[in-house]
Amino acid sequence: QVQLVESGGGSVQAGGSLRLSCAASGLTYCMGWFRQAPGKEREGVAVISSYGTTQYANSVKGRFTISRDNAKNALYLQMNNLKPEDTAMYYCAARSGDVCGLLTFDYWGQGTQVTVSS
């Protein structure tokens, strides 16, 4: 079992920045951030392997950066140039196994809310 706790969400104006953090009881090979807006399905935002290989959703490329600190069992998501359409609950997630991508994840945090106003 991997326990995940997100923090860092909040309300910002369009063009602003936020940094999300995820404290984990342990990091798996593949960690990721997902989001879910009201009335929409959950979508993958970014993933990172323990080697540092990353993958991003097209909607956030060039604006969001995922990173991890294996020594601290922490995962981060730096979000710049935020847009109203980025408004959602953001979830930290961990995936078992040795394949990393915007795939099915096994462990989930409770989420942190990000609200971007225009």
Side-chain angles (χ1 to χ4, degrees):
Q1 278 283 32
V2 177
Q3 296 180 333
L4 306 166
V5 179
E6 304 94 336
S7 62
S11 297
V12 295
Q13 290 189 327
S17 298
L18 283 173
R19 187 191 194 212
L20 304 184
S21 298
C22 175
S25 59
L27 297 185
T28 60
Y29 171 72
C30 186
M31 300 291 296
W33 288 97
F34 290 72
R35 67 186 181 186
Q36 187 168 19
K40 295 187 177 181
E41 292 187 355
R42 186 168 57 195
E43 63 172 346
V45 175
V47 298
I48 185 168
S49 75
S50 60
Y51 295 111
T53 302
T54 58
Q55 183 179 347
Y56 295 92
N58 288 334
S59 58
V60 306
K61 281 182 181 178
R63 300 187 299 121
F64 291 12
T65 302
I66 189 171
S67 62
R68 61 192 285 168
D69 187 329
N70 295 328
K72 295 182 178 180
N73 284 338
L75 181 71
Y76 307 101
L77 185 68
Q78 177 66 45
M79 305 185 294
N80 298 326
N81 190 21
L82 282 159
K83 303 176 180 180
E85 51 264 42
D86 294 318
T87 295
M89 185 71 78
Y90 283 71
Y91 298 91
C92 173
R95 187 173 191 280
S96 301
D98 57 2
V99 177
C100 197
L102 292 172
L103 307 169
T104 301
F105 275 59
D106 304 293
Y107 306 101
W108 298 87
Q110 294 300 308
T112 185
Q113 178 68 37
V114 172
T115 303
V116 185
S117 59
S118 58

